[in-house]
Amino acid sequence: MSMFHRQSGRYVATFAVDEVRVLRKVASEVVGLLTDGFDHSDPVVGRLFPEVYPDDPRSTAEFRRYTEGDLKTAKIDQAGAILAALPGEAGGEVRLDAEAAEAWLRALNDARLAMGVRLEIKDGTDLGEELDEAVAEDPTSSRVFQLSVYAYLGYLQESLLNALIDGA
């Protein structure tokens, strides 16, 4: 698995073919959710764009009117930063400057939030236990794969964050 490290003022990791495919798919799905699939009744959209004033729908609507377009654009651009920096289908190295690294962190966070909603992961969920249960039920299930991707994104996010902190 890839691990980010700081090298000559950049944040560098080498990605295997499967990692590139997973990241490309995840980032593309986030873009799709924020464009074609954007629907406030979707719990994932609700998680990525929470109500600022839950007890005041009118103020929430007003706030959204002024901020939602820019927030959507920023989230799409951040997912696009992942897509733009990924190596070709054969895998390879990713080299990020500080701005791109921060965009990756935000995009990875959005992807994890979206997956967490779909997988029904709560604050107190033990991911290892959840994965063990899914493997025990059916090791070839899509849930096992999705939980593994969720865990991988967390690992990657932590790796990049640590590289940013170590480089500061």
Side-chain angles (χ1 to χ4, degrees), residues 52-53 56-68:
V52 178
Y53 307 104
D56 187 352
R58 180 182 229 164
S59 294
T60 293
E62 188 72 8
F63 182 81
R64 276 193 177 134
R65 185 166 73 95
Y66 290 108
T67 62
E68 189 171 83

Side-chain angles (χ1 to χ4, degrees), residues 7 22 67 147:
Q7 180 182 34
V22 164
T67 62
L147 287 167

Side-chain angles (χ1 to χ4, degrees), residues 3-112:
M3 178 73 118
F4 276 98
H5 62 279
R6 188 174 165 100
Q7 180 182 34
S8 303
R10 300 272 187 206
Y11 302 93
V12 181
T14 301
F15 291 90
V17 173
D18 290 340
E19 291 173 302
V20 170
R21 286 183 186 141
V22 164
L23 288 170
R24 187 165 281 124
K25 181 165 177 47
V26 166
S28 295
E29 286 177 358
V30 169
V31 170
L33 175 74
L34 298 173
T35 54
D36 305 331
F38 195 77
D39 176 4
H40 281 288
S41 65
D42 183 338
V44 172
V45 172
R47 183 69 175 102
L48 293 176
F49 296 87
E51 292 187 7
V52 178
Y53 307 104
D55 297 330
D56 187 352
R58 180 182 229 164
S59 294
T60 293
E62 188 72 8
F63 182 81
R64 276 193 177 134
R65 185 166 73 95
Y66 290 108
T67 62
E68 189 171 83
D70 289 341
L71 284 172
K72 273 176 49 176
T73 299
K75 289 179 182 297
I76 291 166
D77 289 348
Q78 291 156 9
I82 289 178
L83 294 169
L86 285 173
E89 291 298 318
E93 191 175 79
V94 167
R95 300 178 67 76
L96 306 173
D97 62 19
E99 184 179 335
E102 289 181 22
W104 269 57
L105 278 178
R106 289 188 296 273
L108 290 169
N109 188 61
D110 286 344
R112 289 189 79 235

Side-chain angles (χ1 to χ4, degrees), residues 82-139:
I82 289 178
L83 294 169
L86 285 173
E89 291 298 318
E93 191 175 79
V94 167
R95 300 178 67 76
L96 306 173
D97 62 19
E99 184 179 335
E102 289 181 22
W104 269 57
L105 278 178
R106 289 188 296 273
L108 290 169
N109 188 61
D110 286 344
R112 289 189 79 235
L113 287 172
M115 287 189 79
V117 169
R118 295 282 191 247
L119 293 168
E120 298 179 357
I121 294 174
K122 308 291 183 219
D123 285 340
T125 299
D126 181 327
L127 189 56
E129 191 176 295
E130 193 75 22
L131 190 52
D132 288 345
E133 287 176 20
V135 167
E137 283 181 35
D138 179 3

